[in-house]
C-alpha cells in the first residue's frame, strides 16, 4: 500500500463513520501565546475543547502536520539517530467533541487497524492508565480495560503510568487518561528470544507506539486541581510515517515511500550510499527529515529568522547543513535541491508545497550559503584558538564565544578538536551556556493566574466593525505577572468594540469608564484561542459595574487607513510586477504599514513610482468600502479573493472589496479610499531570498513626512547659501571636494619625498650599520612607505621612526633583511620591547614591525634607546 493510499484509507474510513474530513491546519500558530507550532493533532482544535467556539461538526477526521522541536514536545536531538521520531510528521486523527466516547473510539481503531489495514492482531499491544497515588489520586481506567478485552487477549493489555497514559494539553486545560496502541514488528526469532510485552514503551525501534487514543474527561485548573468535564471528548493521534512502516513491512520510517525518494536524491547528489556506514546514515536521515520540516514551515509562511519560530526553523536547517558539511563532505548548498522531490511526493496532499516550490528553494539555498560561510569563518577562528592554546584543553569560554557570537556549533568544535588531539572543556562550556540560559529565562518568566469568573457561561460578541463604543460587563479576568512588564490584567467582556490583534493589524487601545467617570486604560487587545482579551495595567474598583468601553478612535482610524492601503498595495504589486507576487507577511500599525511579498529582484525606481501611482489613483478615485460578512468560502474564491498560505479560514469568510481589490480579511477598514488622503512608500528592501519588503505611510503620516523633508530641504539650501539650484550646487561642492582630496594626496607624497631626502642625510654609520632613529610627522602607512623606500636605497639599514598621531604614539622599525640574519636582529621583538616607553605594544615581522601606544611623551626615549641594539 502506498503512503497516499494509507492516508486516504484513514480519512475515508472515518468519513464512513460520519466524520467531517478537514485539511491540515497551518503548522505555525499565530493566535496562541503558549505554543509556537502545532505539535499534535489537537492543537488546532484547542478552542473547541476549551469551549470557546463550536466545531463545524462534532465528529472530525484529518491528517495534521505536526512539528516537535520546541517546548514540551521536543524530539529534535533524537531525529536521525532513531528510525521513528521526526521533527515534522503527520498525525492522523479522529475527533469527538462531546459526541462519542471510549466505546466507539476503541471499536473503530480496532476495526481500522485489523480489518481495513489488515494488521495481524498478534503484533499489537495496548496500554491502559493504571491510576495514580499522587495528589490527583486517580483510579485505574477500568472502563477502557473492559472495552479492550472484547477485542484483544488480556495478556496484551498492559498497565501504563501517568507519564505515558495520562495526556495533558499543557499546564492547564482539558486532559484525561489514554490508551496507546503499540506494534511489535520484530522477526519471529527475536520474538522468541525476548517477550514483546517487556519492550513496550522501552524505546525499542521495532516495538513502537503507533496510535494514542486520548479520553478527555477532566479539566486541569491553574491551581493544579482537576475537575470533571461535563462534555467528554475523544482526541486520537496516529503517527502516519510509523503506520506506513508497519503496512509497507519495513523496519524503519526512513524505508517507507515517504522518505525513500528523498534519500535516493541525497545519495545521488552527495555520492554517498545509505545503509553502509552508521555516521553517514544518521546524516542522511537528519537531512531527509529536516528538509521536510523547513520546507513546510516556509510554505506556511514562517521564514528562517533570528527570533521566535523563525529561529527554531533556522536552527533545524543549520542542523541539517552541519551534518551534510561534516559527514557528507558537502561544502556548498544542496539541501534546497531536495525540494523538488518533496514537492512531487507531497504536492497532492499538501498543495502549498507545490505552489511555492521556487520560493522554498530560494530561501533554503540562501540560508545554506550563509551558514556555510559562518562555518568556514568559524573554522578559521577555531584554528586561531587552537594556535593560542597552551596545554591540551581548549577553554569552555573560548568555545562558548565561538558558539554564541559566531554561531559555530559546539559539536563541530568538539569534533575538530578531537581530530587535533585536543580536549574541550565541556564543563566550562556548559557553565557558560547555563549562565546565558538563566539570564534569558529570568527576563521572560511569567506567571498566569486562573481566570476569576464573574459571569458564568458568558458568550462574547465582537461589534468593533460597526461601533467604537459600547456598554459592557466584565465576564472574567486574570492577572499575569512577568519580569519584563510587571503586573498586567487581562479582561474579557460580554461585548466588545475592541479589535484584537490579527491579520497583521494591531490590537485596539482605549479605555473603560465606570459610572463615576473613573477610567482604566486598555493598552492592547489580543486574541487567545478565539477569545478577545483586553490588557490593562490595573483593575476598575467595582468589577461588577457596567462600563463604557471606548476605542481610541484616532489610532483606529490611522490603522484603518494603513490597512486599506495594504490591500491596494497588494493589488498594485500584482498589477505592476505580476501575479507571482504573493503576500508573505503584513504588519498594519497606526503609524505605518509593512508588507512582505514574493518577488525575485529589487524594485526599480520606475516600478516603485508605478506602484505608488496605482495606489494613489485608487485613493483619488474615492472607492467605497464593500464589506460582506459570512460569504461561503467557495464563493469568495470564485469572486476573485485570494486565500493566503498559512492562514486558517472558516467555512464562511468576510470579504473586503474596494473597486477591483477583493480580499479575505477580518481587519477594519476606512469607509472610502478617499479618507486615506495619500500613500507614500518610504522603503523597499529584501528580507530573504525571493522576499521583498515595502514600508509605507498614509494620511497624516504623509503630511509629517513631506513637512519633514521640506524642512530638511530648506536647511540644506540655507547651507548652500540659498543657491538657486541646490542640487547643482551640491554636485559642485562634491566635485570640488574630490579634486582637493587629490591635491592633498599629491602634496603628502611630495612631502614624503623631501623628507626621505632629508633623512638620508641624517643616517649615520654605527658598527657597520646605517642607523637612523627619528620622530617624523607621518601616519602609519606613510611611515611604512618611507621605511621601504629608504630600505630600497640604503643598504644595511636600521631605521626606527616614531610619530604622534593625534595623541596616539607610533613606533615602526625597519631592518635590512641581511642584517636580520647576520646580526640576529628582530624588528618585531625590538618594537615589543620599546613599546614599554609609549605604554603600548605591537609586533610584526623580523624586518618590519610596528607598535602603538597611548603615551607620545615616551617616543623620544624609545628613539634614544634604539642604538643599544646595534652596540
Ligand atoms: P513516543 O513515546 O514514541 O515519542 P509520544 O508518546 O510522544 O510517542 P503522542 O504524543 O501520543 O506520542 O503522539 C501520538 C502519535 O504520534 C504517536 O503514537 C506516534 O505514532 C506519533 N509520533 C509522536 N511523536 C512523533 C515523532 N516525533 N515523529 C513521528 N511520529 C511521532
Ligand atoms: Mg514523544
Amino acid at each position: 500500500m502506498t503512503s497516499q493510499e494509507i492516508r486516504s484509507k484513514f480519512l475515508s474510513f472515518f468519513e464512513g463513520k460520519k466524520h467531517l474530513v478537514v485539511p491540515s491546519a497551518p503548522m505555525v500558530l499565530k493566535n496562541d501565546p503558549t505554543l509556537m507550532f502545532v505539535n499534535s493533532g489537537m492543537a488546532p482544535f484547542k478552542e473547541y475543547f476549551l469551549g470557546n467556539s463550536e466545531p463545524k461538526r462534532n465528529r472530525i477526521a484529518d491528517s495534521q502536520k505536526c512539528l516537535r522541536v520546541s517546548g514540551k514536545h521536543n524530539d529534535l536531538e533524537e531525529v536521525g539517530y532513531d528510525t521513528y521520531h521526526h521533527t515534522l510528521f503527520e498525525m492522523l486523527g479522529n475527533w469527538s467533541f462531546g459526541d462519542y466516547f471510549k466505546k466507539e473510539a476503541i471499536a473503530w481503531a480496532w476495526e481500522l487497524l485489523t480489518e481495513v489495514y489488515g494488521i495481524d492482531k498478534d503484533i499489537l499491544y495496548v496500554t491502559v492508565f493504571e491510576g495514580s497515588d499522587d495528589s490527583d489520586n486517580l483510579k485505574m481506567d477500568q472502563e477502557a480495560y473492559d472495552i479492550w478485552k472484547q477485542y484483544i487477549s488480556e495478556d496484551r493489555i498492559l498497565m501504563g503510568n501517568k507519564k505515558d497514559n495520562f495526556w495533558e494539553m499543557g499546564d492547564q486545560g482539558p486532559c484525561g487518561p489514554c490508551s496507546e496502541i503499540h506494534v511489535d514488528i520484530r522477526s519471529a526469532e527475536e520474538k522468541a528470544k525476548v517477550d514483546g510485552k517487556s519492550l513496550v514503551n522501552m524505546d525499542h525501534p521495532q516495538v513502537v507506539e503507533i496510535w494514542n487514543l486520548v479520553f478527555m474527561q477532566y479539566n486541569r485548573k491553574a491551581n493544579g486541581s482537576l475537575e470533571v468535564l461535563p462534555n467528554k471528548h475523544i482526541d486520537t493521534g496516529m503517527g502516519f510515517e510509523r503506520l506506513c512502516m508497519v503496512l509497507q513491512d519495513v523496519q524503519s520510517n526512513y524505508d517507507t515511500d515517504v522518505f525513500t525518494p528523498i534519500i535516493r536524491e541525497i545519495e545521488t547528489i552527495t555520492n554517498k550510499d545509505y545503509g553502509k556506514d552508521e555516521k553517514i546514515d544518521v546524516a542522511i536521515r537528519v537531512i531527509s527529515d529536516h528538509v521536510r520540516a523547513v520546507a513546510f514551515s516556509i510554505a506556511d509562511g514562517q521564514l528562517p529568522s533570528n527570533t521566535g519560530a523563525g529561529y527554531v526553523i533556522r536552527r533545524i536547517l543549520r542542523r541539517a547543513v552541519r551534518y551534510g558539511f561534516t559527514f557528507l563532505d558537502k561544502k556548498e548548498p544542496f539541501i534546497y535541491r531536495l525540494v523538488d522531490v518533496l514537492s512531487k511526493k507531497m504536492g497532492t496532499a499538501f498543495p502549498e508545497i507545490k505552489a511555492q516550490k521556487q520560493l522554498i528553494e530560494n530561501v533554503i539555498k540562501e540560508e545554506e550559503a550563509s551558514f556555510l560561510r559562518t562555518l568556514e569563518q568559524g573554522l578559521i577562528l577555531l584554528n586561531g584558538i587552537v594556535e593560542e592554546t597552551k596545554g591540551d584543553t581548549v577553554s569552555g569560554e573560548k568555545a562558548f564565544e565561538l558558539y554564541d557570537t559566531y554561531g559555530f556549533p559546539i559539536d563541530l568544535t568538539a569534533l575538530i578538536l578531537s581530530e587535533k588531539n585536543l580536549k574541550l572543556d565541556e564543563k566550562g562550556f556548559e557553565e557558560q551556556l547555563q549562565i546565558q540560559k538563566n539570564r534569558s529565562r529570568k527576563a521572560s518568566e511569567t506567571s498566569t493566574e486562573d481566570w476569576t469568573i464573574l459571569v458564568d457561561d458568558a458568550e462574547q460578541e465582537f461589534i468593533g466593525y460597526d461601533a467604537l463604543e459600547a456598554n459592557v460587563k466584565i465576564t472574567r479576568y486574570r492577572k499575569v505577572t512577568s519580569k519584563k512588564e510587571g503586573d498586567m490584567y487581562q479582561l474579557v467582556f460580554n461585548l466588545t468594540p475592541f479589535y484584537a490583534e490579527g491579520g497583521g493589524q494591531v490590537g485596539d487601545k482605549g479605555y473603560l469608564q465606570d459610572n463615576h467617570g473613573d477610567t482604566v486604560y486598555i493598552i492592547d487587545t489580543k486574541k487567545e484561542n478565539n477569545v478577545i482579551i483586553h490588557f490593562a495595567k490595573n483593575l476598575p474598583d467595582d468589577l461588577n459595574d457596567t462600563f463604557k468601553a471606548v476605542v481610541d478612535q484616532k489610532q483606529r482610524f490611522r490603522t484603518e487607513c494603513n490597512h486599506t492601503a495594504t490591500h491596494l498595495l497588494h493589488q498594485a504589486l500584482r498589477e505592476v510586477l505580476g501575479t507571482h507576487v504573493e503576500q508573505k507577511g503584513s504588519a498594519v500599525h497606526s503609524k505605518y504599514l509593512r508588507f512582505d511579498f514574493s518577488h525575485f529582484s529589487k524594485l526599480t525606481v520606475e516600478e516603485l513610482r508605478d506602484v505608488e501611482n496605482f495606489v494613489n489613483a485608487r485613493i483619488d478615485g474615492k472607492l467605497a468600502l464593500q464589506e460582506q460578512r459570512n460569504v461561503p468560502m467557495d464563493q469568495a474564491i470564485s469572486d476573485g479573493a485570494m486565500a493566503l498560505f498559512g492562514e486558517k479560514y472558516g467555512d464562511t469568510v468576510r470579504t473586503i472589496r474596494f473597486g477591483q481589490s477583493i480580499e479575505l480579511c477580518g481587519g477594519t477598514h476606512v469607509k472610502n479610499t478617499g479618507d486615506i488622503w495619500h500613500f507614500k512608500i518610504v522603503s523597499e528592501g529584501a528580507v530573504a531570498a525571493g522576499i521583498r519588503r515595502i514600508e509605507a505611510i498614509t494620511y497624516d503620516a504623509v503630511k509629517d513626512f513631506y513637512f519633514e523633508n521640506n524642512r530638511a530641504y530648506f536647511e540644506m539650501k540655507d547651507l548652500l547659501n540659498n543657491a538657486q539650484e541646490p542640487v547643482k550646487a551640491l554636485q559642485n561642492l562634491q566635485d570640488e571636494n574630490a579634486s582637493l582630496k587629490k591635491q592633498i594626496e599629491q602634496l603628502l607624497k611630495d612631502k614624503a619625498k623631501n623628507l626621505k631626502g632629508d633623512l638620508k642625510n641624517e643616517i649615520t654609520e654605527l658598527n657597520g650599520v646605517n642607523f637612523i632613529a627619528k620622530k617624523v610627522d607621518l601616519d602609519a602607512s606613510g611611515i611604512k612607505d618611507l621605511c621601504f623606500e629608504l630600505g630600497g636605497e640604503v643598504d644595511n639599514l636600521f631605521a626606527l621612526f616614531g610619530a604622534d598621531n593625534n595623541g596616539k604614539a607610533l613606533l615602526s622599525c625597519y631592518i635590512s633583511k641581511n642584517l636580520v640574519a647576520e646580526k640576529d636582529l628582530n624588528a618585531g621583538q625590538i618594537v615589543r620591547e620599546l613599546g614599554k616607553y609609549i605604554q603600548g605594544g605591537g609586533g610584526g615581522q623580523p624586518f618590519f614591525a610596528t607598535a602603538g601606544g597611548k603615551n607620545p611623551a615616551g617616543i623620544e626615549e624609545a628613539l634614544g634607546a634604539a642604538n643599544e641594539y646595534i652596540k
Side-chain angles (χ1 to χ4, degrees), residues 585-608:
S586 125
V588 181
H589 294 261
S590 62
K591 297 205 169 83
Y592 70 100
L593 66 94
R594 197 176 71 204
F595 191 74
D596 296 346
F597 56 99
S598 45
H599 181 58
F600 33 80
S601 59
K602 187 166 180 56
L603 271 69
T604 62
V605 177
E606 291 73 33
E607 285 168 338
L608 285 171

Side-chain angles (χ1 to χ4, degrees), residues 68 73 75 84-86 89 91 167 209-212 237-239 242:
R68 292 199 167 175
H73 288 291
D75 293 336
Y84 58 105
H85 279 100
H86 303 296
F89 63 99
M91 205 187 272
W167 205 89
E209 176 190 329
I210 55 165
W211 203 349
N212 194 355
M238 171 146 63
R242 292 187 192 178

Side-chain angles (χ1 to χ4, degrees), residues 728-767:
K728 211 167 163 195
L730 197 60
Q731 186 66 55
N732 287 344
L733 264 185
Q734 278 182 346
D735 292 348
E736 204 178 327
N737 192 31
S739 99
L740 285 175
K741 258 193 193 147
K742 256 196 198 139
Q743 285 179 33
I744 290 177
E745 264 167 34
Q746 190 53 46
L747 281 173
L748 285 177
K749 266 195 196 139
D750 293 349
K751 186 176 149 195
K753 217 187 222 161
N754 290 338
L755 183 66
K756 193 175 75 190
D758 293 347
L759 289 174
K760 243 169 140 175
N761 292 331
E762 291 184 40
I763 292 175
T764 53
E765 209 213 281
L766 201 68
N767 286 340

Side-chain angles (χ1 to χ4, degrees), residues 30-93:
K30 301 201 168 120
N31 224 330
D32 187 339
T34 61
L35 205 60
M36 258 183 208
F37 303 102
V38 170
N39 61 2
S40 68
M42 72 87 65
F45 299 131
K46 233 166 115 176
E47 62 196 60
Y48 305 146
F49 289 117
L50 292 168
N52 295 340
S53 31
E54 288 282 310
K56 280 180 250 182
R57 207 185 285 176
N58 52 18
R59 294 181 186 189
I60 284 180
D62 66 353
S63 172
Q64 174 63 44
K65 300 174 269 188
C66 297
L67 196 58
R68 292 199 167 175
V69 290
S70 60
K72 186 180 153 210
H73 288 291
N74 188 347
D75 293 336
L76 183 60
E77 294 307 320
E78 261 101 313
V79 172
Y81 289 91
D82 75 17
T83 48
Y84 58 105
H85 279 100
H86 303 296
T87 54
L88 172 110
F89 63 99
E90 286 179 59
M91 205 187 272
L92 303 167

Side-chain angles (χ1 to χ4, degrees), residues 512-725:
L512 273 188
Q513 190 170 49
D514 67 14
N515 283 327
H516 312 289
D518 291 336
T519 54
V520 165
Y521 286 99
I522 304 296
I523 56 176
D524 202 357
T525 311
K526 292 185 176 171
K527 239 185 209 179
E528 188 175 319
N529 299 313
N530 224 17
V531 175
I532 298 172
I533 299 176
H534 310 79
F535 290 69
K537 274 308 225 185
N538 43 337
L539 286 177
D541 292 335
D542 180 2
L543 287 155
N544 293 307
D545 222 340
T546 299
F547 299 90
K548 194 161 94 181
V550 183
V551 172
D552 178 337
Q553 201 178 330
K554 272 206 179 121
Q555 140 150 349
R556 167 71 92 83
F557 178 71
R558 290 189 178 110
T559 309
E560 290 178 345
C561 287
N562 284 332
H563 203 155
T564 302
T566 301
H567 286 198
L568 298 177
L569 170 62
H570 189 190
Q571 188 195 1
L573 289 167
R574 288 174 66 87
E575 197 70 37
V576 174
L577 303 177
T579 49
H580 61 279
V581 168
E582 259 166 33
Q583 175 168 343
K584 281 291 153 208
S586 125
V588 181
H589 294 261
S590 62
K591 297 205 169 83
Y592 70 100
L593 66 94
R594 197 176 71 204
F595 191 74
D596 296 346
F597 56 99
S598 45
H599 181 58
F600 33 80
S601 59
K602 187 166 180 56
L603 271 69
T604 62
V605 177
E606 291 73 33
E607 285 168 338
L608 285 171
R609 197 193 48 213
D610 289 350
V611 167
E612 245 174 37
N613 287 345
F614 185 98
V615 173
N616 281 319
R618 270 135 203 90
I619 291 172
D620 295 342
K622 298 200 176 6
L623 305 171
L625 162 69
Q626 290 170 276
E627 178 204 5
Q628 273 188 301
R629 298 177 199 169
N630 299 318
V631 187
M633 180 71 175
D634 306 347
Q635 193 196 319
I637 299 292
S638 71
D639 283 353
M642 258 191 10
L644 301 182
F645 292 113
E647 282 304 326
K648 205 173 145 189
Y649 297 102
D651 285 343
T652 61
V653 289
R654 179 168 172 262
T655 58
I656 295 292
R657 205 189 269 249
F658 289 98
Q660 300 299 310
S661 151
I662 310 171
E663 301 229 1
L664 302 174
C665 180
T668 69
H669 288 270
V670 295
K671 296 275 170 290
N672 188 295
T673 55
D675 298 347
I676 300 172
W677 187 71
H678 200 70
F679 167 84
K680 178 90 196 86
I681 293 175
V682 289
S683 74
E684 189 273 342
V687 260
I691 308 235
R692 312 292 308 174
R693 168 171 293 175
I694 280 183
E695 287 183 324
I697 50 178
T698 60
Y699 186 54
D700 52 4
V702 181
K703 296 180 191 173
D704 292 345
F705 175 82
Y706 283 136
F707 182 81
E708 198 41 50
N709 274 3
N710 209 35
R711 196 187 54 74
Y713 171 80
F714 278 104
E715 232 173 73
M716 180 180 85
K717 205 169 155 186
D718 210 33
L719 285 172
L720 295 167
N721 295 326
N722 266 319
Q724 277 303 314
E725 290 177 84

Side-chain angles (χ1 to χ4, degrees), residues 74-140:
N74 188 347
D75 293 336
L76 183 60
E77 294 307 320
E78 261 101 313
V79 172
Y81 289 91
D82 75 17
T83 48
Y84 58 105
H85 279 100
H86 303 296
T87 54
L88 172 110
F89 63 99
E90 286 179 59
M91 205 187 272
L92 303 167
N94 57 295
W95 312 85
S96 154
F97 304 104
D99 186 25
Y100 65 84
F101 203 46
K102 291 180 197 177
K103 193 169 98 221
E104 295 84 348
I106 291 173
W108 292 339
W110 194 256
E111 183 187 339
L112 176 67
L113 292 182
T114 59
E115 288 171 33
V116 178
Y117 289 135
I119 296 177
D120 179 359
K121 63 184 189 313
D122 289 337
I123 70 163
L124 297 175
Y125 290 93
V126 301
T127 62
V128 167
F129 179 46
E130 66 184 3
S132 73
D133 48 15
D134 56 6
S135 56
D136 288 335
N137 197 19
L138 291 160
K139 290 208 189 71
M140 172 209 162

